[in-house]
């Protein structure tokens, strides 16, 4: 099997033969993005993203054992920077109003690609992803085509900010 032949990779997508990896992704998903996000209240998000096959920010790794739906024998293409690292190295510099808040103070999530499922997955908290407006916003921001992604609300926990998701429009925090 091709996926087993690729084996575990501890690096960026450049560590695999790009042509081989590209063949594992449906054409309608090639322009999609992976990344991480925070909901910081009132439908506003801080987003960090990269193209699915970005040589700098996309990492290929074995599936994470997040929940019973995860397949640890599968490969994932994931954003290679953790929430914690970006929060302390970049977010707090750009948004000093959040100084004093830990990286996990707000609801957060990530978008990654599951190779065997041939789908992108939006991970986030239950209450956040139960909002159709939030899912539509994230799908639009990460250029996820309809039918090309799944939603998983079993990993991340709801935080106080989700009370303010409401019926308003979603947008980028600035």
């Amino acid at each position: 099997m091709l996926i087993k032949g690729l084996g575990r990779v501890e690096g960026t997508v450049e560590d695999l033969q790009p042509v081989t990896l590209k063949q594992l992704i449906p054409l309608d998903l090639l322009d999609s993005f992976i990344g991480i996000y925070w909901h910081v209240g009132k439908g506003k998000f801080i987003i960090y993203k990269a193209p699915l096959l970005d040589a700098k920010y996309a990492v290929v790794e074995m599936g994470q054992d997040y929940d019973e739906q995860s397949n640890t024998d599968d490969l994932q293409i994931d954003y290679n920077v953790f929430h914690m690292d970006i929060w302390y190295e970049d977010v707090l510099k750009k948004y000093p109003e959040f100084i004093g808040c830990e990286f996990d103070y707000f609801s957060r999530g990530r978008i990654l690609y599951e190779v065997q499922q041939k789908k992108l997955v939006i991970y986030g908290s239950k209450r956040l992803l139960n909002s159709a407006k939030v899912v539509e916003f994230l799908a639009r921001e990460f250029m996820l085509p309809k039918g090309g992604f799944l939603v998983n609300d079993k990993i991340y926990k709801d935080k106080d900010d989700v009370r303010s998701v409401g019926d308003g429009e979603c947008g980028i925090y600035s």
Side-chain angles (χ1 to χ4, degrees):
M1 176 180 215
L2 183 57
I3 293 171
K4 292 289 186 191
L6 292 172
R8 184 178 176 97
V9 177
E10 299 283 344
T12 66
V13 294
E14 283 184 331
D15 294 331
L16 292 178
Q17 296 175 1
V19 173
T20 304
L21 188 57
K22 193 172 182 179
Q23 291 171 348
L24 297 173
I25 301 170
L27 288 175
D28 64 332
L29 301 182
L30 284 174
D31 292 330
S32 298
F33 289 79
I34 55 172
I36 62 174
Y37 65 87
W38 289 266
H39 174 261
V40 293
K42 299 180 182 175
K44 299 299 179 198
F45 290 82
I46 296 174
I47 291 177
Y48 286 80
K49 63 185 178 181
L52 181 57
L53 292 177
D54 184 277
K56 181 177 179 185
Y57 289 105
V59 64
V60 179
E61 59 190 6
M62 295 303 291
Q64 302 297 310
D65 190 15
Y66 290 131
D67 62 9
E68 68 278 355
Q69 295 173 344
S70 298
N71 181 355
T72 55
D73 292 328
D74 195 0
L75 285 177
Q76 294 174 334
I77 301 176
D78 198 355
Y79 194 68
N80 75 349
V81 185
F82 294 108
H83 283 92
M84 182 173 65
D85 296 335
I86 290 178
W87 186 261
Y88 297 118
E89 294 171 12
D90 195 58
V91 172
L92 294 180
K93 291 176 186 168
K94 285 184 180 176
Y95 309 105
E97 60 269 38
F98 298 130
I99 290 175
C101 296
E102 296 297 321
F103 79 96
D104 59 354
Y105 178 79
F106 296 107
S107 297
R108 59 194 166 103
R110 70 175 48 246
I111 286 81
L112 54 81
Y113 179 74
E114 295 279 353
V115 174
Q116 283 184 344
Q117 292 187 58
K118 296 187 184 313
K119 299 274 186 186
L120 289 134
V121 182
I122 300 174
Y123 285 97
S125 70
K126 186 176 291 297
R127 191 161 174 198
L128 194 61
L129 295 182
N130 278 341
S131 166
K133 286 190 179 199
V134 168
V135 172
E136 289 169 14
F137 170 76
L138 291 171
R140 197 169 48 251
E141 283 298 312
F142 286 87
M143 296 179 58
L144 311 180
K146 191 171 187 174
F149 67 92
L150 305 170
V151 174
N152 185 316
D153 63 5
K154 304 209 179 347
I155 300 164
Y156 291 100
K157 305 229 183 293
D158 286 323
K159 306 290 181 158
D160 289 340
D161 59 89
V162 295
R163 293 183 193 147
S164 68
V165 171
D167 295 325
E169 292 300 312
C170 295
I172 302 294
Y173 186 83
S174 55

